[in-house]
Amino acid sequence: MTKVAWNTKELTVGQLAERSGVAVSALHFYEAKGLIASRRTAGNQRRYSRDSLRRVAFIRLAQRIGIPLKTIRDALAELPDERTPNRGDWARLSAAWRGELDDRIEQLQRLRDDLTDCIGCGCLSLDLCPVANPHDRLGDEGPGARRIDTRLCPPQVCCTPAS
């Protein structure tokens, strides 16, 4: 393990990987997706500015809460002069993502609650479920598990068991 001086302005890809806890291949992927940037030396080696550490931390945290990489890239692109996100930026961006996260939480809670009774009413060929899908009404909406995505099937429409 090579110790990097605290005031080093640039990091190699290996140093960035070590400091951020992210694999070199993931850093290359982030760079290819436009999430982080490097400059090339005369020997064609990547060099990352120190602020890439904060950017990688931001990316990892956003990924961990389920934010898609495209959304993360768009958020980072909103920052002036491609600077790294600060506390205020995180507060603004996370507030914007709150509704999406609330929707996902609702979907997961419904999936958890229905898990023992149903597999999302795609029913894997069980076209008649007298409790959750009488007369295969969900099959008329299209293929796949229809009850998993709350936006496809609001609870008041199709997820109330038949009496």
Side-chain angles (χ1 to χ4, degrees):
M1 178 161 117
T2 307
K3 185 154 173 99
V4 178
W6 68 270
N7 61 350
T8 300
K9 294 200 186 290
E10 291 187 320
L11 302 168
T12 65
V13 69
Q15 290 167 331
L16 181 58
E18 184 178 320
R19 292 286 310 278
S20 67
V22 175
V24 169
S25 59
L27 295 173
H28 290 168
F29 178 76
Y30 291 163
E31 188 171 356
K33 294 296 182 184
L35 296 162
I36 60 174
S38 67
R39 73 167 187 86
R40 296 294 183 133
T41 66
N44 203 30
Q45 297 176 332
R46 289 177 167 93
R47 293 292 185 265
Y48 297 89
S49 60
R50 281 189 72 77
D51 63 307
S52 295
L53 283 167
R54 181 176 288 168
R55 196 171 265 258
V56 170
F58 176 90
I59 294 164
R60 297 293 291 175
L61 181 59
Q63 280 185 302
R64 189 163 189 189
I65 60 174
I67 304 301
L69 285 178
K70 182 190 179 317
T71 304
I72 297 168
R73 184 183 63 232
D74 293 346
L76 290 169
E78 289 179 19
L79 299 176
D81 301 321
E82 297 186 16
R83 70 170 168 77
T84 57
N86 60 30
R87 187 178 304 227
D89 296 323
W90 179 253
R92 180 177 46 81
L93 294 169
S94 62
W97 296 335
R98 188 175 193 83
E100 182 181 332
L101 292 173
D102 288 342
D103 287 348
R104 262 197 245 141
I105 289 167
E106 181 184 344
Q107 290 172 26
L108 288 170
Q109 287 173 332
R110 286 190 49 225
L111 179 60
R112 178 203 59 209
D113 294 345
D114 291 344
L115 194 58
T116 56
D117 298 327
C118 179
I119 56 170
C121 278
C123 282
L124 295 179
S125 302
L126 299 175
D127 58 2
L128 295 175
C129 176
V131 175
N133 190 21
H135 309 292
D136 193 27
R137 69 176 176 242
L138 294 174
D140 293 337
E141 294 180 17
R146 307 306 295 169
R147 291 182 62 200
I148 290 174
D149 189 342
T150 58
R151 290 166 291 192
L152 293 175
C153 180
Q156 65 275 15
V157 174
C158 66
C159 299
T160 306
S163 46

